[in-house]
Amino acid sequence: MEEIEVRVQAVKTLLEAFKLERVLYIMISCLSVIILLCVPIYIIFQAPDKIEWVVGLFVPAGAITISIGKLLKMWNQAITFVSNQNNDKDGK
């Protein structure tokens, strides 16, 4: 049980060290999603004949999805580290 506590403390230390970066990353991601959703709604109401602009705005949605996925991957890696599972594909 002591080894798990040491690992949890190590993860907490790492999370605390990168707290500012994580908060900024989440804020920028949220702002991007809000803008990505609000601008097309605005365009639809102001210029309904410019629907191709709305379609063009959703092209970067994949990049936002990948960014959010990387944030979730960080949490997965922290949990894997704490549970002492091996990250190698070969099981070494």
Side-chain angles (χ1 to χ4, degrees), residues 79-90:
I79 291 170
T80 301
F81 176 75
V82 168
S83 66
N84 198 19
Q85 294 176 357
N86 198 345
N87 291 334
D88 292 338
K89 292 182 180 179
D90 297 335

Side-chain angles (χ1 to χ4, degrees), residues 23-24 49 81 92:
V23 170
L24 287 175
D49 57 329
F81 176 75
K92 294 180 182 178

Side-chain angles (χ1 to χ4, degrees), residues 49-63:
D49 57 329
K50 303 289 185 185
I51 199 70
E52 64 272 3
W53 290 3
V54 174
V55 173
L57 287 171
F58 285 102
V59 173

Side-chain angles (χ1 to χ4, degrees), residues 33-66:
V33 170
I34 290 169
I35 290 172
L36 188 64
L37 294 175
C38 290
V39 170
I41 292 170
Y42 176 78
I43 291 173
I44 288 171
F45 285 118
Q46 295 299 319
D49 57 329
K50 303 289 185 185
I51 199 70
E52 64 272 3
W53 290 3
V54 174
V55 173
L57 287 171
F58 285 102
V59 173
I64 293 172
T65 303
I66 290 170

Side-chain angles (χ1 to χ4, degrees), residues 15-34:
L15 290 175
E16 188 63 34
F18 294 102
K19 186 175 185 177
L20 178 63
E21 289 86 353
R22 288 185 302 115
V23 170
L24 287 175
Y25 185 79
I26 290 171
M27 288 174 53
I28 290 170
S29 295
C30 290
L31 182 64
S32 298
V33 170
I34 290 169

